[in-house]
Amino acid sequence: YAVEDYLEPERTTREHAEHFHRMIDSWSIQTVFIDSAAAQFAADLAYNYDIATTKAKKDVLAGIAYVQTLVQQGRFRVHRNCHHVIAMLDAYQWDNRENLARERPKHNEYSHMADAVRYALYSYVV
């Protein structure tokens, strides 16, 4: 279930942490997955704001396939107030440029939410 989303790229670490604490408390969140490339952000959350994180599994194609399967089977539910998640599910696309070495999604305004959903769902079960 996606019950709340958050996409505020122009915020400070403190502002993110305050919002994360509200979400953690509201939803009794036990695990916060984070992009392994965000090591400094993870350290700041841990040391300055007491928010422990777990590195997400970043296998892009397998993760996308997993999320796609959940959506197709009706096993991933999204609350109507999760506007960013809904927009991402409606607009997520593959990059169809012919010169690509391998298949990959487009990097656009929907990528960050797509990555967040994939990190949470795929990392939780794998």
Side-chain angles (χ1 to χ4, degrees):
Y1 293 92
V3 292
E4 183 177 345
D5 62 13
Y6 174 74
L7 183 64
E8 297 292 339
E10 300 299 322
R11 301 283 186 235
T12 65
T13 300
R14 166 175 257 162
E15 290 170 316
H16 289 312
E18 289 170 355
H19 192 90
F20 296 165
H21 273 296
R22 283 193 297 275
M23 293 175 79
I24 289 166
D25 293 342
S26 293
W27 300 106
S28 301
I29 294 171
Q30 296 176 8
T31 306
V32 176
F33 294 104
I34 193 165
D35 187 330
S36 58
Q40 184 61 56
F41 184 56
D44 291 344
L45 289 174
Y47 297 118
N48 298 328
Y49 303 101
D50 197 30
I51 299 174
T53 60
T54 300
K55 291 180 183 175
K57 301 215 183 304
K58 293 179 64 170
D59 189 346
V60 176
L61 297 180
I64 290 171
Y66 179 75
V67 173
Q68 183 179 23
T69 298
L70 292 178
V71 170
Q72 289 172 340
Q73 294 175 348
R75 295 176 50 212
F76 178 50
R77 308 276 184 179
V78 180
H79 191 277
R80 67 179 169 268
N81 291 338
C82 295
H83 303 288
H84 299 295
V85 174
I86 292 168
M88 177 274 302
L89 289 171
D90 286 340
Y92 199 62
Q93 299 175 351
W94 290 102
D95 192 335
N96 293 323
R97 291 180 291 171
E98 291 184 22
N99 62 341
L100 293 176
R102 62 186 171 109
E103 188 176 36
R104 66 179 186 191
K106 275 189 177 180
H107 184 77
N108 57 25
E109 65 269 23
Y110 304 105
S111 301
H112 297 294
M113 187 56 62
D115 289 344
V117 167
R118 175 172 48 88
Y119 292 166
L121 296 176
Y122 190 63
S123 299
Y124 187 74
V125 298
V126 174

